[in-house]
Amino acid sequence: MTGIAATHMQRSHGKGTLAVKRAAGRTRIDRLHQSGNAKIRVPGTHTDALEAVLINTSGGVTGGDTLSWTIESGPGTNAIISTQACERIYRSAGDTGRQNTAIRVESGATLFWLPQETILFDGGRFVRALEVDLADDARFVGLETLILGREAMGETVASGLYRDRWRIRRAGALVHAEDFRIDPEGEPCVTAAAVLGGNRVAATLVVATGDDAERLDLAVAKARDLLDGTAAGISRIGEGAGGRIVVRAAAPTSHALRKRLLPLLSLFLDGRPLPRTWSL
C-alpha cells in the first residue's frame, strides 16, 4: 500500500513571475503572475525599494515537484526578494524535485536575492538552477543557505541528492559560474572534513556590484571583521564589470549562522532594512 501511494502521489507545480518598474520615485509592480503552488506577496515598505515574498503553498518539495520563478527588475529599480519560510526538501520515493529561477536586472537597478534556508531531509532529492542576467551597471546580491537534516531531530543526511547551479552574466558575458553537489551514499556527508567539517549548515553569498578594486577590497575587509570566529572564507575576484565578492560560511546550527549573516547582509544592503522574514 505504501509503494502504491508513493507511486501515485500528486505532484505540485508552480510558476511565479514578478516584474518591477520605477515610477514616482519608487519601485512598483509592473507585472505579476502566479500559478499552481507558487505565490508572490508584496508587503508595504517605507523605503524606495520593493520587497517581495515568494511562497510555496505546498509546504515543501518532494520528488517530481517543480517550481519556477522569474524576476525582472526594470531600469533604476531597487528590489529585495525573500521567501516566507525555509524551503523543505522531503524524502523522495525516487523522483527529483526541481527549482529554476531566472533573474534579469536592467540598467541602474539593484536586486537582492535573499531566500531563507533550504532544509534537505535525509533521502531528499533536489536540483536547483539560478540564472542571473545583469546590465553593465546593474547590482546583484544573492544568498543561498543549505541545512543538512532536521536540527531538532538530530537528523543527518546519509542518502539523497542536492545540486545547486549558479550562472551570473553581465552584458551577456559569464562572470560567475559554480556547481555544488552533495550525493551521499551510506555515510553522513557532514562528518567529512573536506565537505563541512562536521557543520550542518552552509551558505554562499555572491555580491556582483561592478565596483572598482578599492571599494571591493574595503567591503571584503569589513566582511572579514563581521565573520571573525566563523568557519568562513571571503574572496574578492576581479574588479569592475566582472568584479565580485564571494563568501562561503558554515556553522553547526542555522541559528548560529543566521546571527552572523544578518550583519553581513546589512553591510551589502546599502542602508536598507533587512526583509522582515529574516528577523531572528
Side-chain angles (χ1 to χ4, degrees):
M1 182 65 70
T2 302
I4 295 174
T7 301
H8 293 86
M9 185 181 298
Q10 184 175 358
R11 306 306 185 193
S12 62
H13 305 284
K15 292 184 178 182
T17 298
L18 174 66
V20 300
K21 63 182 180 180
R22 189 161 185 84
R26 292 175 61 89
T27 300
R28 303 179 185 275
I29 297 173
D30 187 17
R31 292 181 290 108
L32 190 154
H33 177 267
Q34 53 194 15
S35 65
N37 55 297
K39 307 299 179 187
I40 302 172
R41 297 294 179 263
V42 181
T45 65
H46 300 288
T47 71
D48 67 334
L50 179 141
E51 184 177 322
V53 180
L54 309 183
I55 304 170
N56 176 7
T57 58
S58 68
V61 177
T62 189
D65 292 350
T66 62
L67 269 173
S68 176
W69 302 107
T70 301
I71 309 296
E72 301 175 1
S73 293
T77 57
N78 293 291
I80 303 173
I81 312 297
S82 185
T83 55
Q84 183 187 41
C86 296
E87 188 65 272
R88 292 166 172 80
I89 313 302
Y90 296 116
R91 175 181 287 274
S92 168
D95 292 336
T96 300
R98 299 179 183 275
Q99 176 179 307
N100 294 306
T101 302
I103 294 173
R104 188 173 78 243
V105 190
E106 297 187 17
S107 179
T110 299
L111 184 112
F112 301 93
W113 173 255
L114 305 176
Q116 295 193 65
E117 298 90 343
T118 296
I119 304 173
L120 180 67
F121 285 40
D122 187 32
R125 298 182 61 84
F126 187 53
V127 173
R128 178 169 58 197
L130 174 65
E131 295 275 348
V132 181
D133 288 299
L134 306 175
D136 272 328
D137 58 348
R139 298 167 63 85
F140 172 79
V141 177
L143 171 73
E144 290 287 1
T145 305
L146 174 66
I147 302 174
L148 293 169
R150 291 168 287 185
E151 295 177 41
M153 300 183 66
E155 182 180 68
T156 56
V157 177
S159 64
L161 172 67
Y162 176 84
R163 294 173 62 183
D164 197 15
R165 173 186 173 95
W166 293 44
R167 295 292 185 270
I168 302 175
R169 295 175 174 84
R170 185 178 293 279
L174 184 65
V175 296
H176 184 81
E178 66 174 78
D179 287 85
F180 178 71
R181 177 187 177 112
I182 292 178
D183 189 4
E185 293 184 6
E187 294 294 332
C189 60
V190 293
T191 62
V195 182
L196 288 178
N199 292 301
R200 65 163 62 238
V201 187
T204 295
L205 175 71
V206 176
V207 181
T209 58
D211 290 331
D212 59 33
E214 183 177 359
R215 287 176 61 88
L216 290 172
D217 286 342
L218 180 61
V220 166
K222 291 180 179 178
R224 284 177 175 153
D225 288 341
L226 291 172
L227 290 176
D228 185 41
T230 304
I234 307 170
S235 302
R236 188 264 286 179
I237 304 172
E239 61 180 290
R244 61 202 184 279
I245 296 171
V246 179
V247 180
R248 318 275 188 189
T253 69
S254 58
H255 181 76
L257 187 55
R258 184 176 279 217
K259 283 177 61 178
R260 307 309 295 268
L261 286 177
L262 290 178
L264 183 67
L265 293 177
S266 295
L267 172 66
F268 294 112
L269 276 169
D270 301 328
R272 299 178 181 86
L274 285 160
R276 279 169 282 186
T277 55
W278 269 85
S279 300
L280 280 173

